[in-house]
Amino acid sequence: MDQYGNKPEYLKNLYFSFVVLLRALRRAGPYLYNLPFTGSGSDEEARNTQYLVRRLLDSQLMTSCNSVFEAFDESLMFSGDSGDSVPGFSTLDSKTAFVQGNSVKATLKSQWKGVFHNISQVMDCISCQKCRLHGKIQLLGIGAALKILLLPEQLIAASLERSELVALFNTLSKFSRAIQAIPRLSQEYLEFQRTYKSDILNEQVRLS
């Protein structure tokens, strides 16, 4: 709490990322619902995995949070189809604006890929192997979520790799646990502060 207590933007980023993950999961729902999850482990494990995924997709969280899902609109991330998105487009004809708009979108997507690549390279410098592993899994999970949100729905099934699905569910679990821990950690921090201030006050009274 001493490290993050004075940085509310960290919590906002956590909640925002969680919404992105849930929105991606809901968009890929029709594909995931019927996915057999075979290929490793026993048939029983595959059935259990399919049952748990379906249970998550059918949960109240996925059906009752429409207003929360609207907090993020992936269609605005790489807007460039209209002249309003790029300075000077209003003076161009529609065909030229469309071509340049697609060029802007391609450039933005390329920049995003570069950001993910740079973050991955930075993680290679982390000495703790477990920290590096968890960090890369979460980065892959967020990347998988963005891929789901940005691809046409008919291409989702053919574009997702097994490792990306594993990372997506793992990252969703990590972020969910982190959000669940916020109230408990906040309460513990407040109790610590009250105890600390009380001890200081008692010490001042004793010395006086």
Side-chain angles (χ1 to χ4, degrees):
M1 289 299 294
D2 290 336
Q3 184 176 359
Y4 304 115
N6 296 324
K7 297 184 182 296
E9 64 273 15
Y10 287 3
L11 290 181
K12 292 180 181 179
N13 290 339
L14 175 63
Y15 282 114
F16 178 78
S17 299
F18 190 61
V19 169
V20 172
L21 292 167
L22 288 178
R23 190 176 174 102
L25 187 66
R26 187 177 68 167
R27 191 165 192 262
Y31 162 65
L32 295 174
Y33 202 88
N34 297 308
L35 190 66
F37 292 99
T38 56
S40 65
S42 63
D43 292 340
E44 183 179 358
E45 289 178 343
R47 287 193 296 269
N48 288 338
T49 301
Q50 186 180 57
Y51 167 75
L52 292 173
V53 170
R54 289 181 174 181
R55 183 177 177 183
L56 174 60
L57 294 173
D58 290 335
S59 66
Q60 185 180 6
L61 176 66
M62 302 301 295
T63 58
S64 63
C65 298
N66 288 331
S67 59
V68 176
F69 290 138
E70 292 173 359
F72 173 74
D73 185 357
E74 65 277 0
S75 64
L76 301 178
M77 289 183 63
F78 303 112
S79 59
D81 290 336
S82 66
D84 295 335
S85 303
V86 181
F89 270 29
S90 58
T91 62
L92 301 175
D93 61 82
S94 58
K95 182 177 180 179
T96 304
F98 177 79
V99 172
Q100 293 194 17
N102 284 337
S103 176
V104 170
K105 291 173 67 175
T107 301
L108 291 175
K109 290 182 179 181
S110 177
Q111 290 175 350
W112 270 77
K113 290 180 180 179
V115 169
F116 272 80
H117 180 70
N118 290 339
I119 295 175
S120 180
Q121 285 187 320
V122 169
M123 288 183 178
D124 288 334
C125 301
I126 298 175
S127 57
C128 174
Q129 292 185 358
K130 288 185 177 180
C131 298
R132 184 167 62 248
L133 174 63
H134 286 291
K136 288 206 168 188
I137 288 176
Q138 292 180 36
L139 183 64
L140 181 60
I142 294 175
L146 290 175
K147 177 188 284 190
I148 292 171
L149 292 173
L150 296 175
L151 280 174
E153 288 191 32
Q154 63 271 21
L155 296 180
I156 291 177
S159 301
L160 284 178
E161 299 178 1
R162 181 182 180 85
S163 60
E164 291 175 319
L165 288 177
V166 172
L168 176 63
F169 284 109
N170 187 283
T171 305
L172 189 65
S173 173
K174 292 286 186 182
F175 280 48
S176 177
R177 291 173 183 267
I179 290 174
Q180 285 182 321
I182 290 174
R184 175 178 59 82
L185 293 176
S186 299
Q187 183 62 32
E188 291 179 0
Y189 178 74
L190 292 175
E191 291 177 358
F192 171 78
Q193 289 288 78
R194 284 195 293 266
T195 302
Y196 176 76
K197 290 180 180 179
S198 177
D199 291 341
I200 294 294
L201 181 61
N202 292 336
E203 181 66 16
Q204 289 177 344
V205 171
R206 186 184 67 81
L207 293 176
S208 62

